[in-house]
Amino acid sequence: MKPAIPRLTSALGNVMLFGLIRKIDRPGEYQAARIIGFSTIIAVATIWLIAWVMLIETRAQAISTKKADIERMTRVVEEQTRNQFELIELFLDMIVSHYQQHYALDPRTDLELADFVNQLTRGLGDSIHVLLVDREGKAYHIGDPDARPVANLAGQDIITAQADPEKRGFFVGRPYFDPVTGLWSLPTSIALPAGTGGISTVVAAIPLVGPEPLFEAGRPKPYGSIALFSRDGTLLARAPVDREIVGRSFEQNEMWRDHLPRQSRGVIETSDPSRPSTEELLSYAALDGFPLVVAVTTPVTDVLTEWRHFVGMILRGGALLTTVALFLAHHLIYRIGQLCQTRNELEKMAQTDSLTGLSNRRQFREKATVELARLSRNRSCLSLLSLDLDHFKAINDNFGHAAGDAALVHFSNVLRSSLRISDIAARIGGEEFTILLPDTTPSNAWILAERIRRAVASVPVYHNDDKIQVTVSIGVTGTSDASTPLDRLLEKADKALYQAKETGRNRSVVHDDMVEENTLRNAD
């Protein structure tokens, strides 16, 4: 399986899902989106895990089934090969027996022996070529009146084996090019008792055009093979035919080195001797009573042809399920994000003034309550400003409500530029505003109030072609007592504001219990 596909889908999932999740700023919705995201990733991982397990199991099953198939095929080839060589061994034994019955005759010129051998070879389909070999290695046809040598086989393993007491008897030699028939042949030999003519060995050569077509018909297609080896690892015959490797020794091959010494038959995964980089299944069996080994091989790529089609189906199915899961998760998280955005907007609308963008009365009271509770912990103080635009009704009456709105926006902008981040400004009525100043004494609050008052008065409001002068009156109060009710602070700030209005407007007045009750400070 191509591992890049699940990795790619996982990466896309992370980008698609968690990119959206990071944009969600509400804890509840964020947690829900994370659950959906992680659940989707787990679901996608589970899909690919199941797919991976299925592929591993089906691959193992395909290989196991093919191992059983080639093992059965090996038994068939083993039986066929055994029968063929048993016939050849019987054939040679019958020649030896006939020779022993006519011991006094020269087998090279014995016409009765020649006729007997011809009958035997015809019974085997004329697939065997028989030669008599003397002690010097000269080879003769049977029944030749002139007893002329037709080849010299001196030094061939089929001849030297009969001189070795450990190998003497029925022997299968290395493939060789038969100079008599002009064919590559697989020779066998058996010893003759010393007799007339000095003949010591009978050789029966089987042309490889005999077993190789049989192997070719039965080998696994398209790239499997059937091979016949000697027990020393020499390749005797193979289908498909490859003359370059026939006769080569494979005794260092994994089968001979690691398996055959311990087990006379088996099925292993190894590499093709002719293509070392190709993995293949190899079933082998050593023939009891014969120095031969048959082997059936098939490349793993052949075994997995149908499995690869299954892999394609699984990958396409996994990709489809992954796409569906990611799409649904993306849709759900996107909708959660939209819901979060809508709730934020609704909360903002519920907590802020739509015209000025400042806090409304509700949010101001919530924040102010928190700041009052913080006083006892920090042992600090806070101040409160109550602000009212002067003659605001006249602005609406003379210039219109749009001009009044412009004045309110202008005033809120002045507040923003004058306050700290920790300060809380709110519009609590038409032209009425209030500001909570944490960690601020009334005297410092009055300084800020004056700065705001001067900034508002110094910059007129322009609306259409009208120039509108705006001023503000401010009441200031403060406390360091956390038990002071918020309404009490608002009441005192309103009293100070009322004093500012009564004494001419466009001024700041302080109402400060910590210094002196009802002390008024006026500034022009």
Side-chain angles (χ1 to χ4, degrees), residues 33-234:
R34 277 175 59 89
I35 292 174
I36 293 174
F38 281 114
S39 299
T40 303
I41 297 302
I42 291 172
V44 169
T46 302
I47 290 171
W48 288 110
L49 178 61
I50 293 173
W52 180 260
V53 171
M54 289 178 62
L55 293 178
I56 293 297
E57 289 183 349
T58 52
R59 184 184 188 276
Q61 183 178 1
I63 291 178
S64 177
T65 300
K66 195 62 178 181
K67 282 183 177 180
D69 290 343
I70 65 172
E71 187 174 17
R72 286 192 295 269
M73 188 178 296
T74 302
R75 292 183 182 275
V76 172
V77 174
E78 176 189 7
E79 191 63 26
Q80 291 175 341
T81 304
R82 182 189 305 280
N83 292 340
Q84 186 173 15
F85 279 94
E86 283 179 348
L87 283 174
I88 295 171
E89 184 178 18
L90 178 61
F91 174 81
L92 291 177
D93 285 340
M94 292 176 68
I95 293 175
V96 172
S97 176
H98 189 282
Y99 171 75
Q100 289 174 336
Q101 294 174 12
H102 302 81
Y103 185 73
L105 299 177
D106 186 344
R108 295 174 295 180
T109 59
D110 186 352
L111 296 179
E112 185 178 349
L113 176 61
D115 184 61
F116 178 72
V117 170
N118 288 336
Q119 291 181 22
L120 293 177
T121 55
R122 281 196 297 271
L124 295 175
D126 292 322
S127 60
I128 298 178
H129 177 228
V130 180
L131 293 174
L132 300 173
V133 183
D134 63 18
R135 296 182 183 88
E136 296 178 358
K138 295 178 182 178
Y140 304 87
H141 286 303
I142 299 176
D144 182 3
D146 299 326
R148 291 173 301 182
V150 294
N152 191 333
L153 301 180
Q156 294 281 353
D157 57 352
I158 52 174
I159 306 303
T160 59
Q162 302 306 327
D164 185 346
E166 294 184 359
K167 297 181 179 178
R168 188 178 179 87
F170 182 73
F171 182 81
V172 181
R174 293 174 181 270
Y176 77 119
F177 183 79
D178 190 334
V180 178
T181 63
L183 299 172
W184 278 91
S185 301
L186 183 62
T188 63
S189 67
I190 195 169
L192 277 177
T196 306
I199 302 301
S200 62
T201 306
V202 181
V203 173
I206 309 166
L208 289 179
V209 295
E212 285 176 348
L214 183 63
F215 289 174
E216 177 63 32
R219 73 179 179 89
K221 302 298 190 300
Y223 299 113
S225 68
I226 297 178
L228 179 65
F229 295 87
S230 65
R231 285 300 293 262
D232 64 1
T234 302

Side-chain angles (χ1 to χ4, degrees), residues 293-328:
V293 177
V294 295
V296 178
T297 68
T298 184
V300 173
T301 53
D302 288 1
V303 177
L304 300 180
T305 299
E306 294 185 3
W307 178 79
R308 284 194 294 270
H309 293 309
F310 181 69
V311 169
M313 294 174 56
I314 289 295
L315 291 179
R316 288 191 291 271
L320 177 62
L321 291 176
T322 298
T323 301
V324 171
L326 292 178
F327 174 79
L328 292 176

